[in-house]
Amino acid sequence: MTVYETDVPGVGKKFEVEIGGEERLVIVIHHDGKREVFHKSNPDADADRVFSLTGQRAREVGAILQGAYFQPVETDSVDVPLGDAIIEWIDVGDDSPLAGQTLADAQVRQQTGASIIAIQRDAETLPNPDADDTIAAGDILVTLGTRDEQSAVEGLVTPDDDG
Amino acid sequence: MAELLLELGVAVAGIAVAGALATRVGLSVIPAYILVGVLLGPNAPTAILGLPVDFVSDGEVIAVLAELGVVFLLFFLGLEFSVEQLLRDRRKITTVGSVDFLVNFGIGAAIGLAFGWTLVETLFLAGIVYISSSAVVTKSLIETGWIANEESSPILGTLVFEDILIAVYLALLAAVTGGGGLREAAVSVGVAFLFLGGLSVVAWYGSAWFERLFTTGSDELFILRVVGLTTLVAGAALALGVSEAVAAFFLGTGLSQTTHVERIEHIVAPARDLFAAVFFFAIGLSTDITLLAGVAGLLAVAVVATTAGKLVSGTLSGRVYGLDQRRSLRVGLGLVPRGEFSLVIVALAASIGTGRLGSVLPAFTVGYVLVMSVVGSVLVDRADTITSAILPSSAEQ
């Protein structure tokens, strides 16, 4: 990947980045911290302005792009002290092994240690589901557990690759 | 004191209102600042609907602030001067810069001589119509998004070359017009180049010293040091009969190699903006627009010829950078606006004040900058229409 850097007197710096194929991104960083991002479908095309960000927002977006963990927005509703536990929302895919099973069959709690505290189905939320409630494809499971327990749930919900 | 303070208040408040109005209608602020200076100044119009509007006299306080405006415009020009870019693209930049200079300075010189102006007057006129406005050009580059296109390279390259040229040109003119005969002129040119040579050596080798001098945790102490040193150097230059603007330019280039550039941009730029706005206002104050009628013919010729000149030189410059016809024409369109540097040159002319330099030329330049900044903005806004009209063969993109 080639990055071309140019000084723009009185403005700041300009970076042109090849992003595969003919496409290019052009990023202009102003002295006041503002970032403008342009997209070119090929080196000869006119650039389209995609978006511009303040310095602070640019750093946050940059952290997301880097894959660094991003702090979720703290809402007032989540003020329950949960210790090490966190709440996660996990999508059940069409090919998930759990689809069609009741909670009793799935044995999520026994296998992972995390509890399913609600099932979101379309616009409805089923709080405190019973053992005979069924998990359907397309559901979102709301689970409570530590980070490791949550990873284990993800492992159960996603289909096994080894068939 | 009360009167002075009130005058300055009226002036800066007027500038603020003019800037807000210009931004609202999407025009460059520079002509707006000049116009409000014309309006509030001692020359016509002195009254509107029978109410007096000549609130602000062309006094010393505004003159000093305006002088600081010139100094800081050139200081920032030096500070933002990209030596790296110049070295990396020196062949292309020299080529496009020379084309730009020969075509446009040549047209200016031809106009001056055709209208029977003296050699010195012609030299001033040629400089005024030659130099593009860095401020207006880069602003329109950003607004149109051309900054991300290939046409930005020759445009910015041309501006880099013009920056060096204006420094040399101002130094020469200030020295030549210092008064006296040929021998005195030669002496003052010598003094000028000794002073500027010394300054550039200090600028080049003094980076480490500047680095230490400006290292401080406090923004307050920082701006005091930068403004203090710049004003001191500019004042010393003027006392020696050297162009204060050029001295400030060299000081800026000396600082451009330090780590303080970003911080100066952040902290000192607002001071520059304030002083520069007062400078444009002061140009308006000293302008007698009733003289414009006398130079209408000259103005019309200059506007048409120098717009065409930039279109031609810009298109050639685009070719030098290997751009297609459409983009090359855009380079020409982008370089049309003239602004702050034409006014810096005319301020020098007005300070000499002999012959046409003190009266006709300032009026002409104000008219010229007003027209060219508007024409330039319109041309850039309508660039696609213009390029497809001139180049019907160009394929749709």
Side-chain angles (χ1 to χ4, degrees):
Chain A
M1 186 177 89
T2 321
V3 178
Y4 305 90
E5 182 187 325
T6 329
D7 282 341
V8 185
V11 178
K13 273 196 184 303
K14 178 173 92 166
F15 297 88
E16 189 149 336
V17 188
E18 295 177 345
I19 51 170
E22 290 272 82
E23 280 185 285
R24 290 185 173 197
L25 280 186
V26 181
I27 299 154
V28 179
I29 302 186
H30 294 248
H31 287 303
D32 62 2
K34 188 171 98 170
R35 268 74 156 175
E36 287 188 290
V37 179
F38 299 85
H39 174 262
K40 285 202 231 180
S41 49
N42 65 63
D44 297 329
D46 279 345
D48 293 316
R49 186 181 280 115
V50 187
F51 56 83
S52 64
L53 299 166
T54 58
Q56 178 60 34
R57 289 207 182 109
R59 277 185 286 280
E60 286 172 359
V61 171
I64 295 172
L65 291 174
Q66 268 191 330
Y69 180 70
F70 182 62
Q71 286 293 335
V73 180
E74 290 179 23
T75 57
D76 299 341
S77 58
V78 188
D79 52 0
V80 190
L82 298 170
D84 287 343
I86 49 171
I87 296 177
E88 287 265 13
W89 284 257
I90 298 171
D91 290 317
V92 180
D94 291 343
D95 46 3
S96 168
L98 294 191
Q101 298 193 12
T102 60
L103 291 189
D105 300 334
Q107 295 201 316
V108 173
R109 174 94 180 267
Q110 291 80 342
Q111 292 190 54
T112 66
S115 332
I116 297 180
I117 53 175
I119 297 176
Q120 290 182 340
R121 185 167 299 158
D122 301 327
E124 297 203 2
T125 302
L126 177 66
N128 298 318
D130 298 326
D132 52 2
D133 280 319
T134 310
I135 301 172
D139 283 356
I140 299 171
L141 305 182
V142 186
T143 55
L144 175 71
T146 63
R147 209 171 283 273
D148 291 344
E149 290 169 346
Q150 296 285 11
S151 310
V153 180
E154 296 258 15
L156 278 188
V157 172
T158 47
D160 298 330
D161 288 336
D162 49 276
Chain B
M1 179 44 81
E3 209 170 306
L4 274 181
L5 195 61
L6 193 59
E7 259 188 36
L8 192 62
V10 169
V12 179
I15 293 170
V17 171
L21 286 175
T23 311
R24 166 103 15 128
V25 296
L27 281 175
S28 159
V29 290
I30 296 173
Y33 297 157
I34 301 173
L35 284 177
V36 80
V38 171
L39 183 70
L40 298 178
N43 295 316
T46 51
I48 289 180
L49 305 176
L51 298 171
V53 288
D54 51 345
F55 296 117
V56 184
S57 57
D58 200 353
E60 281 209 329
V61 177
I62 290 190
V64 168
L65 291 176
E67 188 60 47
L68 283 171
V70 173
V71 166
F72 277 94
L73 276 171
L74 271 287
F75 171 74
F76 268 77
L77 199 62
L79 185 76
E80 289 161 353
F81 189 76
S82 173
V83 179
E84 276 169 51
Q85 203 172 331
L86 182 67
L87 294 178
R88 201 171 45 209
D89 281 347
R90 61 183 172 277
R91 188 166 306 159
K92 279 182 186 169
I93 288 182
T94 313
T95 312
V96 299
S98 308
V99 168
D100 175 56
F101 176 75
L102 291 173
V103 171
N104 298 293
F105 198 88
I107 288 176
I111 293 174
L113 295 173
F115 277 77
W117 287 28
T118 66
L119 182 64
V120 170
E121 289 164 356
T122 301
L123 279 179
F124 272 108
L125 179 73
I128 286 163
V129 301
Y130 150 67
I131 190 150
S132 296
S133 162
S134 292
V136 180
V137 172
T138 43
K139 195 157 176 276
S140 68
L141 274 182
I142 291 168
E143 282 170 1
T144 53
W146 289 4
I147 190 85
N149 294 342
E150 289 171 305
E151 56 266 23
S152 64
S153 302
I155 291 176
L156 294 171
T158 305
L159 292 182
V160 166
F161 188 91
E162 286 189 355
D163 292 351
I164 311 173
L165 211 110
I166 179 109
V168 174
Y169 167 90
L170 281 174
L172 274 173
L173 270 191
V176 169
T177 53
L182 199 61
R183 189 162 149 263
E184 281 179 37
V187 169
S188 55
V189 169
V191 170
F193 276 83
L194 272 178
F195 179 82
L196 294 173
L199 197 58
S200 55
V201 167
V202 169
W204 191 250
Y205 292 102
S207 275
W209 180 76
F210 282 133
E211 191 73 57
R212 280 200 305 280
L213 177 72
F214 291 115
T215 299
T216 165
S218 152
D219 288 352
E220 182 182 345
L221 295 178
F222 185 78
I223 190 169
L224 286 173
R225 282 176 207 184
V226 175
V227 174
L229 182 68
T230 310
T231 313
L232 194 62
V233 167
L238 209 50
L240 287 169
V242 181
S243 164
E244 74 288 9
V246 181
F249 175 85
F250 275 99
L251 183 65
T253 50
L255 284 172
S256 71
Q257 301 302 310
T258 66
T259 56
H260 298 301
V261 176
E262 294 266 318
R263 196 174 180 194
I264 294 176
E265 287 277 359
H266 277 287
I267 296 170
V268 188
R272 181 235 5 219
D273 294 340
L274 173 65
F275 295 142
V278 175
F279 165 64
F280 300 132
F281 175 86
I283 292 269
L285 279 192
S286 59
T287 302
D288 182 358
I289 50 168
T290 55
L291 293 173
L292 266 180
V295 291
L298 175 70
L299 189 59
V301 170
V303 165
V304 173
T306 59
T307 302
K310 283 286 176 184
L311 289 182
V312 170
S313 62
T315 306
L316 290 172
S317 303
R319 289 314 221 183
V320 169
Y321 274 73
L323 305 184
D324 62 27
Q325 286 181 312
R326 201 168 56 94
R327 289 196 192 287
S328 299
L329 190 56
R330 278 190 191 175
V331 175
L333 293 169
L335 285 166
V336 167
R338 315 292 205 280
E340 66 275 29
F341 301 122
S342 304
L343 298 170
V344 167
I345 295 172
V346 87
L348 175 64
S351 70
I352 296 158
T354 52
R356 293 189 182 85
L357 298 182
S359 57
V360 176
L361 194 63
F364 163 83
T365 308
V366 165
Y368 179 74
V369 167
L370 292 183
V371 175
M372 290 310 270
S373 55
V374 174
V375 166
S377 313
V378 170
L379 286 179
V380 169
D381 283 345
R382 305 260 186 286
D384 289 343
T385 321
I386 295 168
T387 45
S388 45
I390 296 183
L391 309 167
S393 57
S394 72
E396 288 296 317
Q397 289 224 355

